[in-house]
Amino acid sequence: MTDQTAYNFAYLDEQTKRMIRRAILKGVAIPGYQVPFASREMPMPYGWGTGGVQVTAACLVPEDRLKVIDQGADDTTNAVSIRRFFQRTAGVAVTEATAEATVIQTRHRIPETPLTEGQILVYQVPIPEPLRFLEPRETETRKMHELEDYGLMHVKLYEDISRHGQIATAYDYPVKVEGRYVMDPSPIPKFDNPKLGGNAAIQLFGAGREQRIYALPPYNEAISLDFDDYPFAASKADHACDLCAAPDSYLDEVITDDQGSRMFVCSDTDFCASRRKAGHVGPMGTPMAGG
Amino acid sequence: MITISNLSKSFTLHNQGAAVIPVMAGANLAVSAKECLGLVGASGSGKSTLMRMIWGNYLAASGSIIVGDVDVAKAAPREIIALRRGTLGYVSQFLRVVPRVPTVDVVAEPLLTLGVGADEARGRAMALLAQLNIPERLWSLSPTTFSGGEQQRVNIARGFVHPYPALLLDEPTASLDAVNREVVLSLIEAAKARGAAIIGIFHDEQARARLCDRLVDVTQFTPKAVQ
Amino acid sequence: MWARWAHRWQGADVDTSIWAKMKTQPLLSVRDLSKFYGGRIGCAGVNFDLFPGEVLGIVGESGSGKSTLLSCLAGHLAPDRGEVIFATAEGPRDTVLMAEAARRRLARTDWAYVHQNPRDGLRMSVSAGGNVGERLMAVGARHYGQIREAAVDWLGRVEIAADRVDDRPSAFSGGMQQRLQIARNLVTGPRLVFMDEPTGGLDVSVQARLLDLLRGLVREMGLSAIIVTHDLAVVRLLADRLMVMKGGYVVEQGLTDQVLDDPQHEYTQLLVSSVLQV
C-alpha cells in the first residue's frame, strides 16, 4: 500500500484541478479551440506527457479505472511509469483492457477497440498548433484561427503533393472540427484519424509545455483535410498481424534478427491479446494458453 | 464641338524668382463638326500652348474649354481621361511612347483601351500603317529607333485609328515627304467629312489652304504687355 | 473582378443605372487623413477620391510622408484622424473603424499590397506555385489540379517560366521575386492594389520589364491602384493621377501629365526640373 497522505488526490491541488477543469469545459464548449491554461510543474520533464497527466489528474475520481498506453502498448516504460504514478497518487484501479477502462491516457495512438459513452480519452500533445511549422509567430497563428484563415494549411498539403506526388503527412494529420477550427490531433498515425470523428467518448488533448488544452466532444465531426482530387486515405502497412491475424489494425514493424527479418504486430497490445485469447492465431503466433 | 471662352494662362516660375509669365488672355474660339480651324501666329505666340490646354495637359488660369459636354478647364482627371479615350484625339509634334512596345501595338492602343478586340484593333492599326507607307518589317519593332518622319507617321496613325469626334493636330505634316504628306492630308479630309471638328497647326501654307475653313491668329490673345 | 463584370454588361441593353452608379461612386474616399508621431507630422489632411479603374501615383522624396500615407490607407497603421471609406460589397465602410477581422478579410480578397521588398510579401519557404495558390486556397479552392493550373497560368502572365512552379522564391532573382509577389496578389482579382515602390531596388532593365507588366495587368484587369514611388518616370508610365507630397502634406494633385508638364506648386516645379534626362 502506498502512503497517500503525502499527496493530494491525483497529485494536483484542488485549485489547480479547478483551473484545469475550467479550461477543459471551455475546450468542450468550443470543439477544436486551443484553450490556454497555467500548466504546472510535474514530476516528469516536458516532453514526457505532462499535459496529458494534468488533464487526467483533473478528471480522475476515486471510482475510475485507468488505462495508460504509449504507442498503443501498455507495457512500455512511459505507460508503466504514468500508470504507477496515478496508482501512487490517486490509488485508482488500473487495467489494460480498453473496454473496462473509464479514463484512457494515450501517447500517439487511438485504441483499436471502439470506445463507448462515458469513457474519456486523454491525448498527450507535443505541439498543439497545426500551423506552427508553417507560421512560427504565435500572434499570427492565433489570428488565423480567429479569422478561420486556413489557406496556409492547404498550402502545406499542396507542397506535399507537388514534392512527393501525394500528401506525405503520415501522422499528426490536421483535421477540421465541426467545420470551424483546424486541430492537431497529436502525433497519431493518419490511420487513426477516422476514429476521431463520431467517437462516443470524450476526447481531451493536453499540451503541458505549450500550455494548451483542447477537446473533441462526443460524436463531433472531425474531417481530415485534403484536396478534392487527392482525397484523404487512412493507410497502414499492407499486412495482417503476425500474432493474431487481425487484418485491419495498425501494425508495428519489428526487426527480429540481424539479417533483417521482420514481423508485423498489432500496435495495440490489448487488442492483440484479446484476439489471441479469443482463439485467433497469426502466421507467427502461438495459441494462447487458457483461451 | 469645341468652344473656348475667355481663356487665360500664365506660368509662374517659383524657382526662378517667382517670375510670372502671362502667355494668354481672353482667348475665344469655336469649332463645329466637319470644320477645320487653323491656328496661326509667330513662333512662341502660344499655338501649341493653346492646343495643350485643350488637351488638358496645361492648366488654364481662367475661362472654359468645352469639348463635347465636358469643360476641360474644370474637369476631374478621370473625366479628362475618359474624354481623351473616345472623344478627343491629339497628334502632337513628338512621339512619346514606352520604349519596348511594338509599333502595331502603339497604334492599336487607343482602340484597346476602348474595349475593341485585340485582333480587330491590330487589323485596323496595320491597315493605317500600310496606308502611311510604314514597311511591314517595322511593325513589330519599337518606334524609338525610327527616323523622324517615320515616328511622325506612327504618331499620326495612332491619332487616326479611332474616329475621334474632335481632333487636335500639331504640325502633322512636318518632316514628311510629298507622298506621305498627301496621305496625311487625305486622312484629315476624310476625318472632316465624317464629322470631326479639327483644330490644327500647319506651317505648310498649302496644307492650310486646302484643309482649313477658318484661321485664327493666336497673337491676338497674347497679353499686350508681352507683345 | 470588376472589369470582368463590366465587360459582361458592355453592349448589352440592360439596366445600366446600377452599373453607371458603380462607375460614378468612388471606390475609395479619403477624408482628412492624418498621422502624427508626437509633434512630428507623418501625413496630414489628405483628401482624395479614387474611382474604379483609376491609378493614383503618390510621389515625394524621403520624409514626405508617402509611405506613412500608404500604410494608413492599407490598414497597416492606425491614423490619428480621418476616414478611409471603401466601397465594400455591403456598401461604403470606413476601414479605419472596421474590426480587425473585417479589415484582414478585405486584405485577403478585395485588396492587395505589393511590398517594395518582395521577401516581405512572399513565403520564402513555400514553392512559387504554393505562393500563388495560397490566396485561392484561403478563399476555399480545394482542387489541387485546378489550383496548380491557375498558378501556372498566373506565372505565365508575369513571365515566369512554368517549369519554375515548384521552385522556392529563394532561388529566384529579385525581379522574378517581385513578379511572383504581383502574381500572388492579383490571383484573386482584387479591386484595389497598393504598391510601395514596386520597382525600387531592381536593375533598370528589370524595372522596365516590370513596369510594362504592371501597365498591362492594370489595364487588362481594370484595377484601381495606389502607387507610392519617388521615381517620376514610373508615375508617368503607370498613373492616371498624381499626388505630390512634401513634409507630410499634399502640395499638388491632378492629372499626371498635367502635373508633370505644367507644375503649379513650387516644390513640384523643383522636383520635375531635378529629374535627370537620359
Side-chain angles (χ1 to χ4, degrees):
Chain A
M1 268 311 286
T2 54
D3 178 15
Q4 278 196 229
T5 57
Y7 295 103
N8 193 38
F9 178 78
Y11 184 77
L12 295 173
D13 58 278
E14 291 305 310
Q15 291 289 25
T16 302
K17 281 193 246 177
R18 212 165 284 155
M19 178 271 295
I20 294 176
R21 285 173 197 153
R22 279 196 211 105
I24 292 174
L25 274 176
K26 280 187 199 155
V28 170
I30 312 174
Y33 168 69
Q34 297 164 51
V35 183
F37 80 107
S39 175
R40 297 287 190 250
E41 292 212 358
M42 301 297 286
M44 61 205 62
Y46 291 135
W48 292 78
T50 53
V53 166
Q54 287 178 80
V55 171
T56 302
C59 290
L60 278 180
V61 292
E63 298 76 36
D64 271 322
R65 194 180 296 271
L66 178 69
K67 172 180 162 82
V68 183
I69 48 173
D70 176 2
Q71 302 272 80
D74 299 87
D75 53 0
T76 54
T77 314
N78 296 330
V80 169
S81 298
I82 294 176
R83 195 164 55 234
R84 200 178 296 162
F85 170 78
F86 280 115
Q87 278 178 291
R88 268 188 76 184
T89 58
V92 288
V94 296
T95 176
E96 293 195 6
T98 309
E100 289 170 24
T102 54
V103 178
I104 303 169
Q105 179 164 331
T106 175
R107 175 177 169 276
H108 304 350
R109 277 239 54 216
I110 301 180
E112 303 289 348
T113 314
L115 300 174
T116 56
E117 283 180 27
Q119 288 185 304
I120 300 178
L121 186 58
V122 178
Y123 295 76
Q124 294 171 208
V125 181
I127 306 277
E129 177 54 66
L131 297 162
R132 180 59 63 228
F133 293 103
L134 300 161
E135 178 52 74
R137 295 169 288 181
E138 172 73 15
T139 46
E140 270 304 300
T141 51
R142 279 205 203 182
K143 285 220 185 91
M144 285 168 154
H145 284 294
E146 177 197 333
L147 304 175
E148 220 178 324
D149 190 356
Y150 291 127
L152 198 51
M153 206 64 244
H154 277 86
V155 170
K156 164 153 200 321
L157 302 179
Y158 170 98
E159 291 291 289
D160 272 356
I161 299 174
S162 72
R163 238 176 280 158
H164 309 291
Q166 51 168 340
I167 298 177
T169 312
Y171 59 93
D172 221 351
Y173 197 105
V175 293
K176 191 148 205 200
V177 178
E178 287 290 302
R180 177 56 181 90
Y181 283 96
V182 167
M183 183 186 94
D184 179 330
S186 85
I188 53 176
K190 69 177 178 179
F191 177 79
D192 282 343
N193 271 31
K195 299 193 194 76
L196 287 165
N199 198 320
I202 302 175
Q203 298 173 78
L204 303 176
F205 299 78
R209 176 182 46 210
E210 296 294 315
Q211 312 194 28
R212 298 280 186 274
I213 284 175
Y214 47 104
L216 207 49
Y219 302 115
N220 268 211
E221 175 187 85
I223 301 186
S224 302
L225 301 180
D226 60 9
F227 284 103
D228 295 340
D229 49 342
Y230 284 81
F232 171 79
S235 55
K236 68 178 260 295
D238 194 12
H239 220 266
C241 174
D242 282 323
L243 291 180
C244 76
D248 53 3
S249 75
Y250 191 72
L251 302 171
D252 284 336
E253 186 178 343
V254 183
I255 311 291
T256 49
D257 60 32
D258 287 339
Q259 278 69 51
S261 331
R262 62 195 65 206
M263 65 189 294
F264 291 88
V265 291
C266 289
S267 148
D268 187 336
T269 51
D270 172 59
F271 181 74
C272 200
S274 325
R275 277 184 59 90
R276 282 157 55 213
K277 229 177 270 167
H280 301 281
V281 182
M284 292 191 211
T286 51
M288 232 174 144
Chain B
M1 189 69 215
I2 303 176
T3 312
I4 293 170
S5 314
N6 212 16
L7 195 61
S8 69
K9 170 113 191 105
S10 62
F11 290 106
T12 307
L13 304 177
H14 292 282
N15 299 306
Q16 289 167 48
V20 179
I21 305 178
V23 296
M24 196 175 296
N28 291 288
L29 61 83
V31 188
S32 10
K34 294 196 177 175
E35 217 189 339
C36 178
L37 185 80
L39 296 178
V40 295
S43 177
S45 56
K47 304 189 292 296
S48 289
T49 303
L50 178 58
M51 201 158 273
R52 283 193 173 202
M53 286 169 79
I54 303 173
W55 176 243
N57 188 225
Y58 280 0
L59 266 185
S62 66
S64 69
I65 307 169
I66 316 275
V67 179
D69 50 9
V70 177
D71 184 357
V72 175
K74 298 183 183 60
R78 72 183 193 287
E79 292 174 301
I80 300 181
I81 290 177
L83 192 71
R84 290 176 179 179
R85 197 174 294 149
T87 310
L88 185 59
Y90 181 40
V91 178
S92 71
Q93 279 185 325
F94 311 103
L95 180 65
R96 179 187 244 147
V97 283
V98 181
R100 294 160 298 281
V101 180
T103 300
V104 68
D105 290 328
V106 168
V107 177
E109 193 177 334
L111 292 177
L112 293 172
T113 51
L114 279 169
V116 174
D119 290 328
E120 195 197 324
R122 279 214 192 88
R124 282 156 67 171
M126 293 194 270
L128 257 180
L129 286 170
Q131 205 176 348
L132 285 161
N133 299 309
I134 305 269
E136 206 174 315
R137 61 179 165 77
L138 294 181
W139 292 355
S140 54
L141 301 176
S142 168
T144 44
T145 53
F146 292 178
S147 71
E150 282 166 338
Q151 285 194 1
Q152 181 63 351
R153 280 175 279 153
V154 171
N155 219 356
I156 289 164
R158 189 165 59 160
F160 280 86
V161 73
H162 170 69
Y164 293 103
L167 266 177
L168 304 170
L169 306 171
D170 195 344
E171 304 280 11
T173 55
S175 30
L176 293 183
D177 59 26
V179 171
N180 287 308
R181 194 161 50 229
E182 183 52 42
V183 174
V184 172
L185 292 179
S186 49
L187 275 176
I188 300 174
E189 277 173 334
K192 238 179 102 176
R194 60 161 163 74
I198 304 176
I199 300 183
I201 302 172
F202 307 95
H203 266 151
D204 178 13
E205 287 217 19
Q206 283 180 334
R208 259 207 311 261
R210 181 165 152 188
L211 294 172
C212 298
D213 301 300
R214 283 184 292 133
L215 295 179
V216 170
D217 189 339
V218 296
T219 40
Q220 59 177 305
F221 305 132
T222 310
K224 300 293 178 279
V226 180
Q227 268 176 351
Chain C
M1 194 174 89
W2 190 84
R4 271 186 264 131
W5 198 70
H7 198 74
R8 229 188 298 153
W9 290 122
Q10 228 166 33
D13 194 28
V14 289
D15 178 21
T16 50
S17 59
I18 300 169
W19 184 63
K21 207 179 182 185
M22 261 194 80
K23 251 191 136 184
T24 54
Q25 303 283 48
L27 186 67
L28 192 73
S29 282
V30 178
R31 298 279 173 268
D32 195 32
L33 195 64
S34 312
K35 173 85 187 160
F36 303 100
Y37 297 104
R40 272 201 308 120
I41 298 176
C43 64
V46 179
N47 285 288
F48 67 89
D49 283 331
L50 187 72
F51 287 80
E54 270 193 317
V55 177
L56 173 69
I58 305 179
V59 293
E61 299 178 306
S62 294
S64 59
K66 57 189 196 296
S67 296
T68 306
L69 176 59
L70 195 72
S71 296
C72 287
L73 292 172
H76 297 174
L77 271 182
D80 294 313
R81 215 171 59 213
E83 309 172 308
V84 178
I85 301 168
F86 180 72
T88 66
E90 296 89 32
R93 292 274 179 275
D94 185 359
T95 60
V96 174
L97 298 175
M98 260 182 177
E100 213 212 317
R103 211 176 319 124
R104 274 176 75 111
R105 210 166 296 135
L106 208 54
R108 265 188 290 153
T109 51
D110 272 342
W111 284 2
Y113 195 102
V114 177
H115 292 83
Q116 176 174 5
N117 188 344
R119 283 161 184 265
D120 294 332
L122 290 173
R123 293 203 191 271
M124 300 305 284
S125 57
V126 172
S127 71
N131 264 291
V132 177
E134 185 181 340
R135 267 174 88 132
L136 290 174
M137 291 186 253
V139 294
R142 289 290 174 267
H143 192 279
Y144 174 81
Q146 287 171 359
I147 295 168
R148 195 176 170 82
E149 216 179 288
V152 167
D153 174 62
W154 262 98
L155 288 180
R157 288 167 82 168
V158 298
E159 296 170 22
I160 297 180
D163 61 6
R164 315 265 346 227
V165 67
D166 293 323
D167 291 344
R168 303 246 174 78
S170 39
F172 287 4
S173 68
M176 277 177 89
Q177 286 177 357
Q178 191 60 301
R179 278 179 280 141
L180 181 63
Q181 201 203 163
I182 288 166
R184 176 184 157 87
N185 269 291
L186 297 185
V187 69
T188 44
R191 287 188 288 152
L192 178 57
V193 184
F194 298 97
M195 296 196 218
D196 187 4
E197 306 268 8
T199 57
L202 297 174
D203 290 333
V204 180
S205 60
V206 175
Q207 268 191 41
R209 213 171 141 196
L210 188 69
L211 286 175
D212 289 345
L213 183 70
L214 284 172
R215 265 179 88 237
L217 286 173
V218 166
R219 205 232 336 257
E220 213 177 284
M221 297 177 72
L223 297 174
S224 302
I226 299 181
I227 304 176
V228 158
T229 179
H230 63 270
D231 190 341
L232 294 181
V234 169
V235 287
R236 196 188 269 281
L237 198 57
L238 290 181
D240 302 318
R241 288 164 56 191
L242 188 54
M243 255 169 42
V244 181
M245 290 191 74
K246 179 174 194 284
Y249 290 95
V250 176
V251 298
E252 190 166 350
Q253 59 173 307
L255 204 56
T256 303
D257 61 89
Q258 180 260 300
V259 172
L260 292 177
D261 290 339
D262 187 18
Q264 304 294 301
H265 191 273
E266 177 183 355
Y267 178 68
T268 320
Q269 290 183 356
L270 177 64
L271 208 60
V272 171
S273 62
S274 308
V275 175
L276 300 171
Q277 303 292 335
V278 168

